[in-house]
Amino acid sequence: MSGFQRIAVLGSTGSIGESTLDVIARHPDRLAVYALSAHSRMEKLAQQARASGARVVVVPDDAARQRFFQAWPDRTPLPEVRVGASALADTAADPDCDTVMAAIVGAAGLPSALAAARAGKRVLLANKEALVAAGSLFMAAVRDHGAELLPIDSEHNAIFQCLPHGDRAAAPTRPAAGVRRLILTASGGPFRDRDPAELHGITPAQACAHPNWSMGRKISVDSATMANKGLEVIEAHWLFAMPRERIEVLIHPQSVVHSMVEYEDGSVLAQLGQPDMRTPIAYGLGFPERLASGVGLLDLARWGRLDFEKPDLRRFPCLGLAFDALSAGQGACIALNAANEIAVDAFLHDRLPYTRIPQVIAETLEWHAGRPSVTLNHLDDVLAEDAAARAHAAGSVPAVAS
Ligand code: NDP
Ligand code: MG
């Protein structure tokens, strides 16, 4: 895509949303905000809409709309305020926007990401849960509607950058020619070296203190448990049409090598950079050109060394569970993602000990394995399966804080 882009940033008040607005503001000659969306932070949404000149904002309900109006200064012309989940999907498909940044957290971001793909937009996909829950549906929508899919998750963006030019199909149906393996790197999170026996009393603040990346709370916990890397293995499977056994995970504590592609001839291509999401975001916004992102120089001499090691699946059971779910099929992936969202939310609200997170996922996967298999060809099928898995997982989580 060349020329001027009007962008809808869905989930603008989050970590990815903020970084996206930062990059957009650096390029007023070629990028403009068309729409923003938020779920709870209406004051921040109002500030962002004022600063970016957004024409549309999307909020979840009438109460949020009132709070948005209260936060809006008198005498400034209001943007159009749209309300509800269907308005999110409509905005993603709006003919007045060219590019959609899908940066809502969780499966809640699936319908709008899918709507953007079905409308043939350039889709900058940060929301990995959408692919985990509905990979085949989403990739088929990209193919069938001529959308342009650019992965924003740093590992997948790195792999995309390392793949051969001729194989940059938006939604491939087979692995790129000559590729042997994809190697996803993982920092190992804040508890990489902790004795698992010490993890029981971990607090949300400790789990969210990621050593290298500054991110939203849900993905920070996912990084600590390595459920995030598990979701990313499933994401890589769909994005690059890569079978499970050709996707490897390596712990790399410095988070400088963002991922690698190994070729049949033994060559391994890697993408390196500072751990700052503005690099993959600028790549997605500028593709195929390169845009300034505000990210500084990578000082490899300061790092001196880069370390790699195999992950220990006993220490990080969530990663093994994700590999199992990918082997079991899409229904299991939906159950894995739903259970993880429920468990992480309960942990963040002091209703579940940290060490119970993998147990809730494992129990939900077991429950799912005993269910009759269903077809998942429509969004409604996926959402119904997701709702059933959430209800089951919620049953194994206390309703009030202990
Ligand atoms: P944040 O929690 O920081 O932001 C989430 C955004 O989604 C906020 O704008 C929030 O609104 C909105 N939101 C939350 N719940 C809903 C809902 N039910 N309906 C509509 N909107 C909702 O998350 P991140 O920015 O960290 O992550 C966003 C996505 O990007 C995730 O899928 C994550 O896995 C992925 N990602 C993030 C990375 C990072 O570095 N942060 C790296 C790679 C991928 P509000 O704040 O107003 O409540
Ligand atoms: Mg990532």
Side-chain angles (χ1 to χ4, degrees):
M1 180 182 288
S2 56
F4 200 78
Q5 286 179 71
R6 298 159 300 174
I7 303 154
V9 184
L10 304 184
S12 64
T13 46
S15 166
I16 294 287
E18 279 200 309
S19 295
T20 305
L21 293 177
D22 181 279
V23 176
I24 293 172
R26 293 169 191 274
H27 301 280
D29 51 323
R30 55 188 291 169
L31 304 174
V33 171
Y34 172 68
L36 301 175
S37 91
H39 196 62
S40 62
R41 290 179 269 184
M42 293 302 128
E43 285 200 2
K44 188 165 182 180
L45 180 66
Q47 282 164 12
Q48 290 181 335
R50 228 169 33 244
S52 65
R55 281 176 45 197
V56 172
V57 296
V58 189
V59 303
D61 50 31
D62 285 330
R65 177 166 58 177
Q66 283 312 317
R67 289 198 288 121
F68 180 83
F69 286 150
Q70 282 158 13
W72 192 261
D74 293 342
R75 289 198 296 277
T76 315
L78 268 163
E80 179 188 339
V81 182
R82 299 179 185 168
V83 179
S86 59
L88 262 182
D90 292 346
T91 302
D94 195 322
D96 285 340
C97 101
D98 311 295
T99 298
V100 174
M101 166 54 87
I104 290 172
V105 61
L110 168 60
S112 52
L114 191 61
R118 286 180 173 157
K121 305 291 184 194
R122 170 174 284 202
V123 186
L124 308 186
L125 189 68
N127 177 250
K128 66 192 83 188
E129 295 92 344
L131 270 185
V132 172
S136 68
L137 198 64
F138 186 85
M139 297 307 280
V142 170
R143 272 192 294 276
D144 294 349
H145 299 276
E148 208 182 0
L149 178 59
L150 289 147
I152 297 302
D153 209 348
S154 58
E155 296 76 4
H156 308 75
N157 188 270
I159 289 167
F160 187 84
Q161 293 196 39
C162 295
L163 283 173
H165 277 280
D167 284 297
R168 275 187 174 154
T173 51
R174 67 176 78 95
V179 171
R180 195 192 277 163
R181 286 187 309 160
L182 305 180
I183 304 166
L184 297 179
T185 53
S187 70
F191 311 133
R192 181 171 52 89
D193 295 324
R194 285 277 189 101
D195 178 351
E198 283 175 11
L199 293 179
H200 188 75
I202 288 296
T203 64
Q206 288 171 310
C208 288
H210 195 280
N212 307 336
W213 296 92
S214 157
M215 309 181 286
R217 282 162 67 79
K218 190 256 175 185
I219 186 176
S220 295
V221 177
D222 287 352
S223 298
T225 62
M226 282 191 81
N228 182 52
K229 210 51 51 181
L231 299 177
E232 289 181 359
V233 167
I234 301 170
E235 186 185 10
H237 164 77
W238 289 112
L239 281 173
F240 306 114
M242 192 57 76
R244 170 199 190 283
E245 53 284 359
R246 287 165 62 187
I247 305 173
E248 176 105 357
V249 172
L250 262 191
I251 291 196
H252 164 48
Q254 292 91 355
S255 299
V256 166
V257 176
H258 295 312
S259 277
M260 300 175 249
V261 175
E262 184 179 82
Y263 286 86
E264 293 294 354
D265 64 2
S267 299
V268 178
L269 302 193
Q271 186 259 354
L272 284 68
Q274 288 195 27
D276 186 324
M277 289 305 293
R278 290 178 301 174
T279 296
I281 291 167
Y283 184 87
L285 287 168
F287 183 79
E289 291 166 41
R290 298 275 179 172
L291 298 183
S293 65
V295 177
L297 303 177
L298 175 64
D299 185 356
L300 280 174
R302 186 177 70 79
W303 283 106
R305 56 183 270 186
L306 299 175
D307 299 300
F308 301 92
E309 68 193 42
K310 273 193 175 297
D312 175 354
L313 294 187
R314 280 165 309 170
R315 184 182 286 272
F316 295 109
C318 292
L319 179 58
L321 290 168
F323 273 111
D324 294 346
L326 184 52
S327 301
Q330 202 188 328
C333 293
I334 294 173
L336 171 100
N337 180 64
N340 183 53
E341 287 193 32
I342 293 288
V344 171
D345 185 70
F347 166 67
L348 285 171
H349 292 92
D350 296 317
R351 288 190 281 111
L352 192 76
Y354 179 78
T355 44
R356 279 275 294 143
I357 295 172
Q359 293 171 12
V360 172
I361 299 171
E363 285 160 19
T364 309
L365 284 175
E366 261 173 50
W367 161 83
H368 177 268
R371 273 165 64 83
S373 69
V374 289
T375 51
L376 296 164
N377 295 333
H378 301 284
L379 177 60
D380 287 347
D381 303 334
V382 171
L383 296 179
E385 197 66 8
D386 174 70
R390 273 168 207 271
H392 180 84
S396 42
V397 165
V400 288
S402 50

